[in-house]
Amino acid sequence: RLDRQRALRIAIQIADGLGYAHGKQVVHRDIKPANIMITDAGEVKITDFGIARIESSSLTQAGAVLGTPSYMSPEQFMGQRVDARSDLFSAGAVLYQFLTGEKPFTGSLTTIMHKVLNSIPEAPSLLNVAVPKGFDVVVNRAMAKRPDERYQSAAEFAQALKEATDPRPAKGTPVADDDATAFEGAMLDRTAAGRDRYAEAGDAVRLGADARPKRATASETQEPAVGARGGLPLKAIAATVAVVVVAAGGVAGW
């Protein structure tokens, strides 16, 4: 397992190198960690083009299975004609191993082939909690079973890697507030515009300075006069009830 930032730098350089090779109509077909060399200056070099295929060449016939099983694309296992998108599948498998320390597909040759053709490996963030969720999306798309569902170029793959580690949220994405209070399945909005949003759930939620209780004034603590706003004071009601109870008891005794 590599540090996330180091894995990102290496993966972007791999994508850049593949982009150059693909621009020359060369498909590597054996991208794996053993074929990725790093110089003392930290530059990534893609090596071992021994089974590389030139797009305009027919030297490699369809039906030949070449490559390293744990990093081979589905079309390589099925002996189909491969293109640049097969290298991107392998690059995604390498990135998966960089982030998790594990190969995405393991086992015997037949087991690996079955997994490559039918199984989706566990998300990198589940094996390494330090991996952002954005990398799960990048790896999943790079290793899509069908070439049409993958990144269509190395440049597109490299751009996705850069965006996956961008700390800024995408435009229109709500920003989570770790200090927000959960309320009836929602989050209390601390902005001025959101203070009255929850009136329909009961009393409006007031936050900030509005949340401090007001000190009652003398006039507010006094009992209202009889007849004020059409109501009786609590003591008057209690006295009336007591008189009725005593009268009822005297009648019953008589």
Side-chain angles (χ1 to χ4, degrees):
R1 181 187 299 181
L2 300 182
D3 173 77
R4 186 186 70 191
Q5 293 300 326
R6 187 176 184 220
L8 178 66
R9 288 194 299 270
I10 296 174
I12 291 176
Q13 290 190 65
I14 292 174
D16 290 342
L18 287 175
Y20 181 85
H22 297 162
K24 301 297 183 182
Q25 305 300 309
V26 174
V27 181
H28 190 283
R29 300 199 303 177
D30 196 21
I31 295 297
K32 58 183 178 182
N35 288 338
I36 306 300
M37 301 297 178
I38 303 177
T39 68
D40 292 337
E43 296 179 341
V44 173
K45 302 292 183 182
I46 301 176
T47 66
D48 194 358
F49 284 76
I51 63 171
R53 176 182 174 277
I54 300 175
E55 289 284 354
S56 59
S57 171
S58 59
L59 292 176
T60 301
Q61 302 294 327
V65 178
L66 298 173
T68 302
S70 292
Y71 308 95
M72 286 169 58
S73 64
E75 55 268 31
Q76 282 179 283
F77 270 113
M78 293 187 289
Q80 298 175 345
R81 197 175 186 85
V82 299
D83 58 21
R85 295 170 296 183
S86 179
D87 282 347
L88 298 184
F89 181 97
S90 301
V94 170
L95 176 60
Y96 186 100
Q97 186 171 352
F98 283 170
L99 296 173
T100 66
E102 300 181 14
K103 297 177 183 178
F105 308 106
T106 57
S108 64
L109 177 59
T110 54
T111 300
I112 292 175
M113 181 171 68
H114 176 78
K115 289 181 179 179
V116 169
L117 296 177
N118 301 286
S119 302
I120 298 176
E122 199 168 16
S125 64
L126 295 179
L127 300 177
N128 181 0
V129 295
V131 175
K133 296 289 186 180
F135 282 94
D136 293 347
V137 178
V138 174
V139 170
N140 185 62
R141 183 174 176 187
M143 294 198 300
K145 304 304 181 186
R146 300 178 64 251
D148 292 342
E149 296 175 353
R150 298 175 203 151
Y151 297 106
Q152 298 302 293
S153 68
E156 187 181 358
F157 179 42
Q159 182 60 33
L161 287 170
K162 295 173 184 177
E163 293 176 354
T165 193
D166 190 346
R168 295 171 299 178
K171 190 175 182 179
T173 302
V175 180
D177 185 355
D178 293 338
D179 295 328
T181 303
F183 180 77
E184 292 296 330
M187 302 302 289
L188 297 187
D189 192 345
R190 280 178 162 75
T191 63
R195 290 180 177 175
D196 299 319
R197 186 174 299 171
Y198 304 98
E200 61 186 30
D203 293 335
V205 177
R206 308 298 292 178
L207 302 174
D210 296 339
R212 295 193 298 269
K214 295 181 179 180
R215 182 174 297 175
T217 63
S219 60
E220 291 175 341
T221 57
Q222 294 176 354
E223 294 177 0
V226 177
R229 300 179 183 271
L232 290 173
L234 182 60
K235 288 183 179 179
I237 296 174
T240 303
V241 171
V243 171
V244 171
V245 170
V246 172
V251 171
W254 179 80

